[in-house]
């Protein structure tokens, strides 16, 4: 639909993502970003585009979106998760130094987040290697 509002696009993107239709979900989220770049849902859309690439193991593309979320919106609710996913993407790309740096940044900036807990566990794993 041409005149879909941001909520409708977001909902559609999310439904497509959940049913494993990643390319189609990206299209809905991208449409939201293009038409409503300043909407409060724009950053979440960016995060889910990253997640869709991550789910397809396209880690380079995923990283771009996770880094963007964390860089542009440091106080957003999706930033801790984005940093976590960026760290995990770096691990998948065999860049443990960058992964460590990203996960440590997450723990420092958002010590009480659920993502920080996961980051600590991940750091323990990669430190043993």
């Amino acid at each position: 639909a041409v005149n879909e509002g941001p909520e409708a696009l977001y909902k559609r993107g999310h439904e497509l993502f959940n049913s494993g239709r990643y390319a189609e979900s990206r299209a809905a989220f991208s449409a939201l970003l293009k038409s409503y770049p300043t909407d409060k849902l724009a950053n979440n859309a960016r995060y889910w585009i990253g997640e869709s690439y991550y789910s397809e193991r396209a880690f380079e593309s995923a990283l771009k979106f996770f880094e963007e979320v964390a860089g542009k919106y440091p106080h957003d609710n999706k930033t801790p998760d984005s940093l976590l996913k960026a760290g995990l993407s770096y691990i998948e790309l065999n860049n443990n130094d960058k992964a460590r740096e990203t996960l440590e940044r997450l723990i420092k900036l958002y010590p009480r987040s659920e993502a920080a807990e996961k980051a600590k566990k991940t750091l323990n794993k990669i430190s043993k290697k």
Side-chain angles (χ1 to χ4, degrees), residues 49-105:
I49 291 171
E51 279 284 5
S52 74
Y53 279 124
Y54 189 89
S55 299
E56 292 177 335
R57 304 189 64 76
F59 301 113
E60 299 267 353
S61 299
L63 255 175
K64 187 178 145 256
F65 284 92
F66 292 139
E67 293 275 6
E68 213 171 87
V69 170
K72 283 188 180 169
Y73 307 90
H75 306 295
D76 190 83
N77 67 327
K78 281 292 181 212
T79 298
D81 289 333
S82 293
L83 286 168
L84 177 66
K85 279 304 190 60
L88 295 174
S89 298
Y90 280 122
I91 292 169
E92 294 286 355
L93 294 164
N94 295 315
N95 188 343
N96 282 359
D97 291 343
K98 200 83 172 111
R100 205 170 283 119
E101 189 185 300
T102 305
L103 295 171
E104 282 167 359
R105 185 168 129 218

Side-chain angles (χ1 to χ4, degrees), residues 7-66:
E7 283 83 8
L9 285 166
Y10 186 77
K11 189 169 171 270
R12 190 154 56 89
H14 219 271
E15 283 165 2
L16 289 162
F17 178 88
N18 288 335
S19 54
R21 293 159 68 186
Y22 301 122
E24 289 170 78
S25 89
R26 271 197 298 277
F29 290 130
S30 297
L32 189 160
L33 289 177
K34 198 171 153 201
S35 303
Y36 309 98
T38 58
D39 189 82
K40 62 184 189 303
L41 288 170
N43 202 41
N44 280 15
R46 227 175 238 108
Y47 172 82
W48 286 106
I49 291 171
E51 279 284 5
S52 74
Y53 279 124
Y54 189 89
S55 299
E56 292 177 335
R57 304 189 64 76
F59 301 113
E60 299 267 353
S61 299
L63 255 175
K64 187 178 145 256
F65 284 92
F66 292 139

